[in-house]
Amino acid sequence: MIVIDQLSKIFKTNEHELKAVDDLSLSIEKGEIFGVIGYSGAGKSTFIRLINRLEEPTSGTVEIEGQNITGLARHDLRVKRQEIGMIFQHFNLLWSRTVEENIAFPLEIAGTSKANIKVRVQELIDLVGLTGKEKNYPSQLSGGQKQRVGIARALANKPKVLLCDEATSALDPETTDSILALLVDINEKLGLTIILITHEMHVIQKICHNVAVMEAGRIVEQGNVLEVFTHPKKPVTKKFVEQVMGKPNDELTDDLLIEHISDGHVLKLTFVKETANQAIISEVAKHYDVDINIIQGNIKQTQEGAYGSLYLQMTGDLSAVEQAMQFIRSTSVDVEVIAHG
Amino acid sequence: MANLFPNIDWMDLLLATGETLYMTLVALVGTLVLGTVLGLLIYLSAPGNLWENKIVYLITAGFVNIFRAIPFIILIFLILPLTVLLFGTFRGPTAALPALILGSAPFYGRLVEIALREVDHGVIEAAKAMGAKTSTIIFKVLLKESMPALVSGLTVTAIALIGYTAVAGSIGAGGLGDYAYFYGFTRRDMDIVYVCTLLIVFIVFIFQFIGDVITKKIDKR
Ligand SMILES: Nc1ncnc2c1ncn2[C@@H]1O[C@H](COP(=O)(O)OP(=O)(O)O)[C@@H](O)[C@H]1O
Ligand SMILES: [Mg+2]
């Protein structure tokens, strides 16, 4: 577990002081993927850099698995940092070293023997899917491959925590997804705690368990990702949710459209933590004597399953429609009749 | 050959070429060491860097700036007493070495500092995050990552040094400059001046060629 208590960082420039991180307290469970989202300048990078003390805190403490990081002397901090992996937006690879030499670097720092480095580097290259690229230089790799090297390098000394500073912000959407999938994979395989910061809500939606929303150095809202998505409280959080769900207004106009449908029932299915959603519609179509027409839907996958809503037009015998609705209710999906013609 | 260059003693010319190469190479090694140390000190002690230290920064940067400002011919006269103290004479290629090194090390030091400043700050940050010691950062990150710039800087410095050896020749350091001046120019035997010029240009080209090849080979960006 990581416990952050009343952490502050004040940058003093010539005349004024800037509170980049302001009295921030937080606890992060072992093995979870914890996201911090905020707009540029919110203090996210400063916050994550305080965790491994790339930035020295002005006040407050950071504790990782019972050990106080903020109290460590220089030498102990260096050793401790070997247990905290970090990846960066711009990868920060050494261009003068090959893929395998880059991954070997943290092992050299930790004083690992040559023979062990060789074995470990190959393990890591296979883990991140770069087999065959061992002798390439970073300049010969794509962005996604560079980040894979960054991840392998960060994992080399078997850290307990992985810090990700905008790790996918320089990548195209497809590559982003593959890197996110890799992060989930190592989180599950290695039980690694991942703290990632981003300004992109879909990153949070896809892989995080818990999320904190940061604004002007403070955390203004936090909680389970699904909870924050379904019930955002603060305006800034609502804006981030809109990034992936679209504006609620869009749905309103569609509601009007739905009311004009004259035939059959218009149903709204609400998914929360639904893990078998694909099957439901086909099950209904197969087993009940109804016709289904999908009007519109907005469903997102999160770590805990799908959530969102789906509007259906269902036509058929009244009793068949009733039965179909009953079946849907027997799953975790909620059904609501919006209109019937 | 003898008709084309009637006044040349080929043994003397060979000796002079050897002296030029000797002065250039030995001074280059001294310049490499002193310049790298100076460049590293300026870079590391600069504001916001690993060994941030105002006093060290002011002293090293001041030293470099002052010695770079002094014209080489004047520098030779200035440190003449030191040279005599060290070697008992100011004549000959070895006695020219202190002036050569002192003249080119600050120049190279500045090139080293510029090369180090070009190293991506994020990479240094990444090394720190891995728990690297400062010495590891210096040797495995800073110097390694800036190596192409360091080598091409050294090439430029070597060529400047060849020029300096010729200047030093005018006060009797030996080498091709010396030979061209005392045997060629002062006796109006211009064929000697021409041959020495050709040889110096040839040596410069060779240094440039070697430098370019090495730079190209190690640059993986
Ligand atoms: N080294 C620094 N010196 C002065 N101000 C800084 C420094 N680093 C960050 N800041 C300021 O702190 C604030 C937060 O920056 P940062 O943590 O990088 O935000 P984010 O990562 O959320 O975009 C910004 O206003 C930034 O200008
Ligand atoms: Mg940032």
Side-chain angles (χ1 to χ4, degrees):
Chain A
M1 193 158 100
I2 299 169
V3 182
I4 289 149
D5 191 34
Q6 299 186 316
L7 197 62
S8 290
K9 175 70 186 184
I10 299 173
F11 288 114
K12 289 195 175 72
T13 46
N14 289 340
E15 266 132 53
H16 64 287
E17 292 187 343
L18 187 125
K19 272 197 175 171
V21 171
D22 189 2
D23 196 28
L24 193 151
S25 298
L26 198 61
S27 69
I28 295 165
E29 291 301 322
K30 193 175 159 68
E32 76 167 312
I33 305 184
F34 190 97
V36 177
I37 188 160
Y39 288 111
S40 168
K44 307 180 297 292
S45 293
T46 307
F47 164 64
I48 207 163
R49 291 156 52 81
L50 285 168
I51 295 175
N52 61 358
R53 276 174 60 192
L54 282 178
E55 213 74 75
E56 287 294 343
T58 308
S59 62
T61 56
V62 175
E63 216 175 75
I64 300 180
E65 288 185 10
Q67 188 169 28
N68 186 353
I69 302 295
T70 31
L72 290 176
R74 275 178 71 96
H75 172 265
D76 298 331
L77 174 64
R78 272 207 309 273
V79 175
K80 188 71 196 170
R81 276 176 176 168
Q82 292 166 13
E83 294 173 23
I84 308 173
M86 189 168 195
I87 57 175
F88 306 86
Q89 178 173 5
H90 298 294
F91 325 120
N92 297 350
L93 303 178
L94 290 111
W95 63 258
S96 60
R97 286 177 170 234
T98 60
V99 167
E100 57 183 7
E101 288 165 350
N102 263 290
I103 299 172
F105 190 37
L107 296 164
E108 290 168 23
I109 290 171
T112 312
S113 74
K114 274 233 166 71
N116 288 343
I117 288 181
K118 208 166 172 253
V119 176
R120 181 78 185 129
V121 166
Q122 198 54 53
E123 264 173 37
L124 288 157
I125 285 178
D126 295 341
L127 176 73
V128 300
L130 283 176
T131 318
K133 298 276 179 204
E134 290 86 350
K135 307 281 184 221
N136 285 47
Y137 284 92
S139 61
Q140 301 166 311
L141 301 178
S142 69
Q145 290 169 332
K146 282 182 196 154
Q147 196 57 290
R148 282 169 192 272
V149 179
I151 291 171
R153 183 176 73 173
L155 297 179
N157 284 316
K158 305 192 173 167
K160 301 187 177 81
V161 187
L162 179 64
L163 308 175
C164 313
D165 187 349
E166 303 268 5
T168 58
S169 299
L171 304 174
D172 62 61
E174 241 170 82
T175 316
T176 294
D177 285 347
S178 77
I179 293 295
L180 293 180
L182 176 62
L183 289 177
V184 171
D185 189 43
I186 57 178
N187 164 256
E188 285 166 0
K189 257 193 209 154
L190 313 173
L192 193 71
T193 310
I194 298 181
I195 304 177
L196 71 84
I197 65 173
T198 180
H199 63 274
E200 295 172 315
M201 197 61 173
H202 69 92
V203 171
I204 303 278
Q205 167 229 320
K206 279 177 188 144
I207 74 165
C208 293
H209 302 111
N210 285 300
V211 61
V213 182
M214 209 169 162
E215 199 177 28
R218 290 171 166 272
I219 286 179
V220 293
E221 187 163 354
Q222 68 166 307
N224 173 284
V225 168
L226 217 48
E227 182 58 32
V228 171
F229 261 85
T230 45
H231 304 105
K233 293 185 188 74
K234 293 279 168 18
V236 51
T237 316
K238 286 180 181 155
K239 266 196 165 166
F240 277 122
V241 172
E242 279 168 19
Q243 267 186 14
V244 279
M245 296 310 289
K247 288 196 177 153
N249 280 353
D250 297 349
E251 270 185 49
L252 212 69
T253 51
D254 285 323
D255 280 349
L256 286 171
L257 251 175
I258 288 162
E259 276 174 28
H260 289 289
I261 291 171
S262 53
D263 206 17
H265 287 67
V266 176
L267 307 181
K268 180 187 181 188
L269 275 58
T270 308
F271 295 74
V272 175
K273 297 196 191 186
E274 175 51 50
T275 45
N277 63 82
Q278 274 110 338
I280 288 175
I281 307 299
S282 68
E283 288 278 298
V284 172
K286 234 185 275 171
H287 298 296
Y288 301 93
D289 192 17
V290 292
D291 283 321
I292 296 170
N293 178 25
I294 293 175
I295 302 168
Q296 76 138 10
N298 193 0
I299 294 171
K300 300 288 175 201
Q301 299 296 329
T302 73
Q303 278 279 51
E304 290 179 72
Y307 85 98
S309 53
L310 184 65
Y311 291 85
L312 301 178
Q313 179 188 18
M314 200 180 270
T315 45
D317 209 52
L318 193 66
S319 69
V321 171
E322 287 287 341
Q323 280 172 14
M325 277 167 56
Q326 211 142 41
F327 165 73
I328 297 171
R329 285 205 183 95
S330 74
T331 68
S332 63
V333 178
D334 228 30
V335 191
E336 201 183 327
V337 180
I338 302 283
H340 43 87
Chain B
M1 235 14 187
N3 294 339
L4 211 54
F5 306 110
N7 305 305
I8 288 180
D9 179 330
W10 296 98
M11 272 320 290
D12 282 357
L13 190 69
L14 197 66
L15 189 72
T17 308
E19 284 171 347
T20 291
L21 287 175
Y22 164 80
M23 282 190 284
T24 306
L25 290 174
V26 177
L28 194 60
V29 172
T31 299
L32 177 63
V33 174
L34 186 60
T36 305
V37 170
L38 283 171
L40 270 172
L41 281 175
I42 297 177
Y43 173 81
L44 292 170
S45 63
N49 286 356
L50 286 168
W51 285 342
E52 181 168 351
N53 186 320
K54 266 212 175 82
I55 296 169
V56 175
Y57 182 74
L58 286 176
I59 292 174
T60 47
F63 177 84
V64 162
N65 287 340
I66 289 168
F67 275 85
R68 262 184 348 132
I70 303 172
F72 184 64
I73 186 85
I74 295 177
L75 183 70
I76 294 176
F77 301 142
L78 264 180
I79 68 159
L80 214 68
L82 177 73
T83 309
V84 174
L85 192 78
L86 282 173
F87 301 101
T89 172
F90 63 87
R91 292 188 181 281
T94 301
L97 291 174
L100 290 171
I101 293 170
L102 221 50
S104 61
F107 176 69
Y108 184 58
R110 192 52 92 182
L111 295 182
V112 169
E113 189 232 348
I114 292 167
L116 296 176
R117 261 194 283 154
E118 291 296 308
V119 175
D120 182 4
H121 213 78
V123 177
I124 299 166
E125 193 108 279
K128 277 193 206 164
M130 289 177 224
K133 282 187 265 188
T134 303
S135 61
T136 309
I137 294 178
I138 292 173
F139 290 105
K140 289 196 166 181
V141 180
L142 284 171
L143 292 178
K144 275 273 169 57
E145 291 287 291
S146 60
M147 199 51 89
L150 294 179
V151 172
S152 61
L154 194 65
T155 310
V156 172
T157 308
I159 288 163
L161 251 176
I162 295 168
Y164 286 170
T165 64
V167 175
S170 67
I171 61 151
L176 289 165
D178 187 322
Y179 194 62
Y181 182 64
F182 287 106
Y183 292 82
F185 182 71
T186 53
R187 295 183 190 165
R188 296 293 180 269
D189 288 340
M190 290 310 280
D191 58 334
I192 290 185
V193 177
Y194 298 146
V195 169
C196 288
T197 308
L198 280 175
L199 271 172
I200 286 176
V201 169
F202 182 65
I203 293 172
V204 165
F205 279 11
I206 287 180
F207 272 84
Q208 187 68 55
F209 177 76
I210 294 171
D212 287 350
V213 167
I214 297 174
T215 304
K216 208 165 163 216
K217 197 171 144 55
I218 58 177
D219 197 346
K220 306 289 185 193
R221 267 174 294 197

Coordinates of all heavy atoms in Angstrom, one line a residue, chain A residues 11 18 20 39-46, ligand 1:
Chain A
F11 N 6.9 25.7 -5.6 CA 8.0 26.2 -6.4 C 8.2 27.6 -6.2 O 7.2 28.4 -6.3 CB 7.8 25.9 -7.9 CG 7.9 24.5 -8.3 CD1 6.7 23.8 -8.8 CD2 9.1 23.8 -8.3 CE1 6.8 22.5 -9.2 CE2 9.2 22.5 -8.7 CZ 8.0 21.8 -9.1
L18 N 4.5 29.1 -6.2 CA 3.5 28.4 -6.9 C 3.3 27.0 -6.2 O 4.2 26.2 -6.1 CB 4.0 28.2 -8.3 CG 2.9 27.5 -9.2 CD1 2.7 28.4 -10.4 CD2 3.3 26.1 -9.6
A20 N 2.4 23.8 -6.6 CA 2.1 22.8 -7.7 C 1.3 21.6 -7.1 O 0.5 21.1 -7.8 CB 3.4 22.3 -8.3
Y39 N -6.1 18.5 -16.1 CA -5.6 19.2 -17.2 C -4.2 19.6 -17.1 O -3.6 19.4 -16.0 CB -6.5 20.5 -17.4 CG -7.9 20.1 -17.9 CD1 -9.0 20.3 -17.1 CD2 -8.1 19.6 -19.2 CE1 -10.3 20.0 -17.5 CE2 -9.4 19.3 -19.6 CZ -10.4 19.5 -18.8 OH -11.7 19.2 -19.2
S40 N -3.6 20.0 -18.2 CA -2.2 20.4 -18.1 C -2.0 21.5 -17.1 O -2.8 22.4 -17.0 CB -1.8 20.9 -19.5 OG -0.6 21.5 -19.5
G41 N -0.9 21.4 -16.3 CA -0.6 22.4 -15.3 C -1.3 22.1 -13.9 O -1.1 22.8 -13.0
A42 N -2.1 21.0 -13.9 CA -2.8 20.7 -12.6 C -1.8 20.2 -11.5 O -2.2 20.3 -10.3 CB -3.8 19.6 -12.9
G43 N -0.6 19.8 -11.9 CA 0.4 19.4 -10.9 C 0.6 17.9 -10.9 O 1.2 17.3 -10.0
K44 N 0.1 17.2 -11.9 CA 0.2 15.7 -12.0 C 1.6 15.2 -12.0 O 2.0 14.3 -11.3 CB -0.6 15.2 -13.2 CG -2.0 15.6 -13.4 CD -2.6 15.1 -14.6 CE -2.0 15.5 -15.9 NZ -2.1 16.9 -16.3
S45 N 2.4 15.8 -12.9 CA 3.8 15.4 -13.1 C 4.6 15.6 -11.8 O 5.3 14.8 -11.3 CB 4.5 16.1 -14.2 OG 3.9 15.7 -15.4
T46 N 4.3 16.8 -11.2 CA 5.0 17.1 -10.0 C 4.6 16.1 -8.9 O 5.5 15.6 -8.2 CB 4.6 18.5 -9.5 OG1 4.8 19.4 -10.6 CG2 5.4 18.9 -8.3
Ligands
LIG1 N1 10.7 23.0 -11.7 C1 9.7 23.9 -11.7 N2 9.8 25.2 -11.3 C2 8.8 26.0 -11.3 N3 7.5 25.7 -11.6 C3 7.3 24.4 -11.9 C4 8.3 23.4 -12.0 N4 7.8 22.3 -12.4 C5 6.5 22.5 -12.6 N5 6.1 23.8 -12.3 C6 4.8 24.4 -12.3 O1 3.9 23.6 -11.5 C7 2.7 23.5 -12.1 C8 2.3 22.0 -12.3 O2 3.1 21.5 -13.3 P1 3.1 19.9 -13.7 O3 3.2 19.1 -12.4 O4 4.1 19.7 -14.7 O5 1.6 19.8 -14.2 P2 1.0 18.7 -15.2 O6 1.9 17.5 -15.2 O7 -0.4 18.4 -14.5 O8 0.8 19.3 -16.5 C9 2.7 24.2 -13.4 O9 2.2 25.5 -13.2 C10 4.2 24.3 -13.7 O10 4.5 25.5 -14.4

